[in-house]
Amino acid sequence: PLNFMVTGWVKDKVQITAKWNTSGAEQEQIYKGASNMYFMGQYFEKVTVTSTDDNTDVTLIISEDNKEIFRSQPLKGKGTIEYKKS
């Protein structure tokens, strides 16, 4: 299973875009204000967290097969966190 979690102060002005691979097929979904999502698939290709709120204070955590593979630096205020599979 795949999981991303956005921890901290999450408001409706935070958008999360997730792209992941399921048996060779790319999937993509956009979430507004979501903070914890689980997927079936092989790996995340890309996860982007974008904030348009000055008061945002969030961290993106990504897990694959119940193992943390990525933890971002905190995003404070407006901006973007991006994870890309290397």
Side-chain angles (χ1 to χ4, degrees), residues 15-85:
Q15 178 174 295
I16 303 156
T17 304
K19 288 184 180 180
W20 67 99
N21 186 288
T22 303
S23 299
E26 186 177 286
Q27 308 289 322
E28 182 174 7
Q29 188 72 37
I30 297 172
Y31 304 90
K32 293 203 183 263
S35 59
N36 193 0
M37 300 298 296
Y38 289 89
F39 306 89
M40 294 309 293
Q42 279 66 48
Y43 57 86
F44 281 110
E45 293 183 12
K46 182 176 173 181
V47 180
T48 305
V49 179
T50 303
S51 168
T52 58
D53 189 319
D54 288 329
N55 296 315
T56 298
D57 183 359
V58 296
T59 300
L60 171 63
I61 301 167
I62 296 177
S63 299
E64 293 179 357
D65 294 324
N66 299 316
K67 293 181 183 136
E68 185 176 306
I69 62 163
F70 176 81
R71 181 180 292 257
S72 72
Q73 293 295 316
L75 171 63
K76 296 180 185 283
K78 296 176 184 174
T80 301
I81 300 169
E82 184 173 87
Y83 163 81
K84 281 186 179 180
K85 181 172 178 62

